[in-house]
Amino acid sequence: MPGQLDISLCAGPANYRIFVDQGPLSMREISVADATREILDPAIATVAEGVVTAVANGETELRVTVAHPDNAGETLTASAPVRVQIPPPQLTAVRIEPGEISLADPQERVQLRLTGVYDCGPEQELSGATFSSDDIAIAAVDANGAIAPIARGRTKVRAAFSGQAAETDVAVTICRPPVVRLDPVPAVT
């Protein structure tokens, strides 16, 4: 129908074009700058200068108003659905801290921290990683990432999370005193 406004979401999900139907087989593109536009739910998406920007997952509506091309003082309004589905960030690497550990006291413990590096968004501290020591005779690591010295030497402690891995070097400089076991001897009378 002549004078109908159509919004075409094309050339990618972020850009849109506006057309006015001017009769059979005749469409005229309207400059985005000549339109008033609004997103009904700005918690889902925003719009500025011809670009719709995703904010959160959900559905909203883009509403555009332009001056009627044939009737001065009249406007045409159209709307188009906007569906936002933001994929979750993908873990690209993990980083273990501290990166190098030196233990000298037999009672000393060092807690490892594992940070996830993502393709978009901030880095996040991770929990639920699997920890292991290359040589448990030198340094042991528990399920929570706490490292304890066992004997003098060097080893690596590794952490794995969701297909990604990181490692840290551990140097143990202590010498555990020998364990002396005293068994009571029955007294002779």
Side-chain angles (χ1 to χ4, degrees):
M1 132 175 175
Q4 179 178 335
L5 180 66
D6 291 317
I7 302 170
S8 173
L9 294 174
C10 56
N15 300 310
Y16 62 90
R17 297 167 69 185
I18 305 168
F19 298 91
V20 173
D21 181 349
Q22 294 187 307
L25 305 175
S26 177
M27 297 285 279
R28 180 169 63 111
E29 186 169 0
I30 301 292
S31 167
V32 172
D34 295 335
T36 301
R37 55 221 171 258
E38 69 175 320
I39 289 285
L40 297 185
D41 188 348
I44 301 298
T46 60
V47 61
E49 305 196 17
V51 177
V52 176
T53 303
V55 175
N57 290 333
E59 295 185 14
T60 187
E61 191 174 288
L62 169 64
R63 187 171 292 159
V64 177
T65 303
V66 297
H68 194 292
D70 300 322
N71 298 330
E74 289 186 29
T75 60
L76 298 171
T77 300
S79 61
V82 175
R83 288 176 199 87
V84 176
Q85 185 172 359
I86 302 170
Q90 297 298 307
L91 182 67
T92 59
V94 291
R95 188 175 62 245
I96 196 169
E97 293 176 5
E100 194 172 304
I101 299 167
S102 180
L103 299 167
D105 180 344
Q107 301 305 312
E108 187 175 6
R109 302 292 181 268
V110 173
Q111 180 65 50
L112 295 174
R113 291 179 313 282
L114 196 63
T115 302
V117 179
Y118 293 87
D119 59 353
C120 62
E123 293 182 358
Q124 296 178 7
E125 190 165 332
L126 302 173
S127 61
T130 302
F131 295 95
S132 63
S133 174
D134 283 0
D135 190 342
I136 59 172
I138 294 174
V141 61
D142 69 14
N144 297 315
I147 298 175
I150 304 298
R152 184 181 297 270
R154 296 186 72 79
T155 190
K156 289 190 182 296
V157 170
R158 302 177 192 279
F161 184 87
S162 193
Q164 301 291 329
E167 63 185 38
T168 186
D169 290 316
V170 178
V172 178
T173 57
I174 62 159
C175 249
R176 288 199 182 261
V179 175
V180 177
R181 184 171 170 202
L182 299 175
D183 290 326
V185 177
V188 179
T189 52

